[in-house]
């Protein structure tokens, strides 16, 4: 039975870059504090979900060599849709000239992994090609007077084309979880700004990443020794370090773009994954562990075997 595999990928970041020093002119913070406590140096701002998604989606389709008519479904993982409705996916579908269904999926920062697992089920269910995009524009939702949140977030998008073509499944194991009892520690009301209890999110994030990763690896019947590269949600380098320690992983196996993107929510995992591909860190047959957490509190992990077509 044919399965889904990733055949094209691309990312997009808005042009405008905001540095830590620039933030230090707005709130009582410093480049040193932000780098030491989060690992972030710069982030991109002033993007919109529909523009960034369109750019990333178009480039991923070009790389895969697929035409607009070939895409059977557009899944857009985002918690910051440009409008209340219509879904940003509908606007992106039109921008790209697609002739298929289009839906937004909101699993906050876990959205890309939720989307990947969902896309693979659609492929197993009979679709030939799914365009999956993770995209968030957090900068419009930032309270620029709150130093506990304004230094963390940025805007970005990452897209992959998933095609029904592989002999062997590339998704070997996965875990999706949500703990709605913690919804109050990270949220944004309609028309409001991001509100976060940073310490509580930090504490829960480390445990959620570990749990999701363990469950996905168990289902895939692999251990952390088998994983060539981990692509963690890029929120805070200290969260990644703490969860890696619990999983027996060393940081040299982490894909990282946090220093230059900040936390881009659903875009962070594809941004880090594509960066690692471009840097030659992912080889044919490698096992990747994608793992994220976010508002909700959602968490998600997937073990995939990298089997993109040779180029
Ligand atoms: O995708 C999920 C999204 N969210 C996250 O992943 C966030 C998870 N949480 C975190 O990353 C961290 O909790 C933060 C980066 C938000 C904060 O780091 P922390 O090490 O947990 O700091 P803290 O909240 O314990 O605060 C320590 C001190 C406080 O000052 P006092 O009370 O000790 O005088 C804060 O007011 O650091 C202060 N502080 C800052 N100082 C300079 C908080 N934010 C800043 C700042 N610059 N930007």
């Amino acid at each position: 039975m044919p399965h889904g595999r990733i055949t094209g990928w691309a990312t997009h970041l808005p042009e405008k870059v905001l540095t830590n020093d620039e933030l230090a002119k707005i709130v009582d913070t410093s480049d040193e504090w932000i780098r030491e406590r989060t690992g972030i140096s710069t982030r991109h701002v002033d993007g919109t979900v529909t523009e960034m998604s369109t750019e990333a989606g178009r480039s991923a389709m070009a790389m895969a060599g697929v035409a607009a008519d070939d895409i059977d479904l557009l899944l857009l993982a985002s918690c910051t849709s440009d409008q209340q409705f219509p879904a940003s996916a509908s606007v992106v579908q039109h921008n790209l000239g697609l002739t298929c269904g289009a839906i937004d999926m909101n699993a906050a920062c876990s959205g890309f992994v939720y989307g990947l697992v969902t896309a693979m089920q659609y492929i197993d269910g009979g679709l030939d090609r799914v365009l999956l995009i993770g995209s968030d524009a957090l900068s419009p939702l930032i309270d620029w007077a709150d130093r506990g949140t304004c230094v963390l977030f940025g805007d970005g998008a990452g897209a992959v084309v998933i095609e029904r073509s592989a002999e062997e499944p590339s998704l070997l194991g996965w875990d999706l979880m949500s703990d709605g009892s913690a919804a109050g520690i990270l949220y944004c009301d309609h028309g409001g700004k991001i509100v976060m209890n940073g310490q509580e999110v930090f504490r829960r994030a480390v445990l959620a990443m570990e749990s999701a990763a363990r469950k996905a690896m168990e289902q895939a019947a692999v251990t952390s020794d088998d994983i060539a590269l981990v692509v963690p949600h890029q929120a805070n380098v200290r969260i990644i370090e703490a969860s890696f320690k619990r999983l027996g992983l060393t940081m040299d196996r982490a894909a990282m773009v946090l220093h230059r993107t900040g936390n881009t929510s659903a875009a962070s995992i594809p941004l880090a994954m594509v960066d690692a591909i471009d840097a030659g860190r992912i080889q044919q047959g490698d096992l990747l562990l994608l793992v994220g957490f976010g508002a909700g509190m959602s968490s998600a992990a997937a073990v995939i075997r990298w089997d993109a077509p040779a180029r």
Side-chain angles (χ1 to χ4, degrees), residues 2-41:
H3 299 275
R5 66 170 173 167
I6 295 172
T7 59
W9 52 87
T11 60
H12 183 81
L13 293 165
E15 258 177 44
K16 188 170 175 192
V17 174
L18 188 60
T19 66
N20 290 347
D21 285 334
E22 286 169 308
L23 280 165
K25 291 178 191 157
I26 307 171
V27 286
D28 182 14
T29 190
S30 66
D31 174 51
E32 191 187 10
W33 191 96
I34 302 170
R35 277 191 290 105
E36 278 179 8
R37 309 296 283 187
T38 72
I40 301 167
S41 294

Side-chain angles (χ1 to χ4, degrees), residues 29 33 37 109 147 196 198-199 233 235-236 238 263 293:
T29 190
W33 191 96
R37 309 296 283 187
C109 305
R147 68 177 182 172
M196 184 176 75
Q199 285 184 354
H233 171 46
N236 186 325
R238 290 159 51 222
N263 180 349
F293 66 92

Side-chain angles (χ1 to χ4, degrees), residues 21-264:
D21 285 334
E22 286 169 308
L23 280 165
K25 291 178 191 157
I26 307 171
V27 286
D28 182 14
T29 190
S30 66
D31 174 51
E32 191 187 10
W33 191 96
I34 302 170
R35 277 191 290 105
E36 278 179 8
R37 309 296 283 187
T38 72
I40 301 167
S41 294
T42 60
R43 70 287 291 145
H44 293 248
V45 295
D46 290 354
T48 68
V49 166
T50 49
E51 280 172 16
M52 296 187 298
S53 301
T54 300
E55 292 304 322
R58 183 179 287 126
S59 301
M61 285 167 58
M63 182 180 191
V66 298
D69 282 350
D70 296 332
I71 301 291
D72 298 317
L73 180 69
L74 168 60
L75 287 179
L76 175 49
S78 181
C79 63
T80 56
S81 185
D82 288 350
Q83 293 167 283
Q84 180 66 36
F85 61 83
S88 288
S90 295
V91 178
V92 175
Q93 184 246 16
H94 172 69
N95 290 350
L96 294 174
L98 309 184
T99 52
C100 61
I103 43 177
D104 281 5
M105 291 182 62
N106 181 352
C109 305
S110 310
F112 184 80
V113 180
Y114 264 74
L116 181 73
V117 172
T118 305
M120 290 294 188
Q121 313 305 313
Y122 274 111
I123 298 276
D124 283 357
L127 296 189
D128 287 325
R129 290 176 199 85
V130 177
L131 175 61
L132 167 66
I133 303 174
S135 176
D136 269 303
L138 294 149
S139 61
L141 304 178
I142 288 170
D143 174 357
W144 295 105
D146 177 9
R147 68 177 182 172
T149 54
C150 75
V151 301
L152 300 177
F153 299 102
D155 304 340
V160 292
V161 174
I162 300 172
E163 293 194 63
R164 181 180 164 89
S165 54
E167 297 289 319
E168 302 289 330
S170 52
L171 178 64
L172 305 181
W174 53 270
D175 181 63
L176 305 181
M177 182 47 67
S178 176
D179 177 6
S181 71
I185 63 173
L186 176 55
Y187 64 91
C188 182
D189 285 327
H190 288 305
K193 300 294 181 189
I194 297 169
V195 179
M196 184 176 75
N197 176 341
Q199 285 184 354
E200 193 55 20
V201 174
F202 192 118
R203 191 183 69 77
R204 287 173 183 259
V206 173
L207 301 177
M209 295 248 292
E210 181 194 4
S211 169
R214 282 196 193 285
K215 286 179 188 161
M217 287 192 291
E218 193 180 316
Q219 196 182 80
V222 300
T223 71
S224 50
D225 290 343
D226 301 313
I227 303 293
L229 193 74
V230 184
V231 189
H233 171 46
Q234 314 278 302
N236 186 325
V237 68
R238 290 159 51 222
I239 293 176
I240 297 170
E241 285 167 352
S243 56
F244 268 44
K245 199 170 170 193
R246 297 176 75 95
L247 289 162
L249 288 158
T250 48
M251 284 297 283
D252 57 333
R253 277 195 281 166
M256 296 295 294
V257 289
L258 176 70
H259 54 287
R260 64 182 175 88
T261 63
N263 180 349
T264 55

